[in-house]
Amino acid sequence: MNYDKNNIFAKILRGEIPCTKVFENEYSLAFKDISPQAKIHILVIPKGAYTDIDDFYTKASEKEIISFSNAVKEVLKLTGVSQQSGGNGFRAIANTGSDGIQEVPHFHLHILGGENLGLRGLRKS
């Protein structure tokens, strides 16, 4: 998958499309999903042009990786889903490539929680 500089997340980062921001730091942005799949559904994205999680961890600088990790940690705290902050847990998902059903060619991590998610989106084994 090639990076498309006109994907929806690139447009959000450029301010062309509004978002409901939850957290932002120098290298990362977190915002509410416009079509939530759970009571809490936040997307965390790097500000750099990375197609997926593999591309990000292969090409991103140490500062970008640390920034992204800190953004995820802050979102978990701010939303109250983290067990460290009194929550009951969450699901973190990074859809990658065609087999992972990735729709937007910009790395993004879904944070879902605020309710029991059951087996939603998971294959029974």
Side-chain angles (χ1 to χ4, degrees):
M1 184 177 288
N2 293 321
Y3 189 82
D4 173 8
K5 64 183 179 183
N6 288 311
N7 73 69
I8 191 167
F9 297 151
K11 289 179 179 182
I12 287 171
L13 288 169
R14 289 194 301 265
E16 296 169 11
I17 296 175
C19 71
T20 303
K21 190 184 311 182
V22 173
F23 178 80
E24 183 174 17
N25 63 22
E26 185 178 0
Y27 296 105
S28 305
L29 174 66
F31 52 93
K32 291 183 178 183
D33 193 293
I34 61 167
S35 182
Q37 303 299 304
K39 184 176 176 183
I40 294 170
H41 188 167
I42 307 298
L43 299 173
V44 185
I45 65 172
K47 290 182 178 179
Y50 301 103
T51 57
D52 57 46
I53 193 170
D54 188 35
D55 188 39
F56 178 71
Y57 284 109
T58 300
K59 297 177 183 172
S61 70
E62 185 174 332
K63 283 183 178 182
E64 289 172 296
I65 293 169
I66 291 169
S67 170
F68 186 81
S69 294
N70 286 337
V72 170
K73 181 177 95 173
E74 201 57 36
V75 165
L76 298 177
K77 187 170 95 177
L78 289 170
T79 59
V81 298
S82 168
Q83 292 177 318
Q84 299 293 326
S85 60
N88 292 320
F90 59 93
R91 188 171 289 153
I93 303 168
N95 299 325
T96 305
S98 59
D99 283 355
I101 316 298
Q102 182 179 0
E103 295 178 4
V104 180
H106 186 109
F107 170 44
H108 54 288
L109 186 67
H110 297 259
I111 304 294
L112 298 105
E115 63 184 306
N116 185 310
L117 299 170
L119 294 175
R120 203 179 330 179
L122 299 177
R123 192 180 301 174
K124 293 182 180 180
S125 46

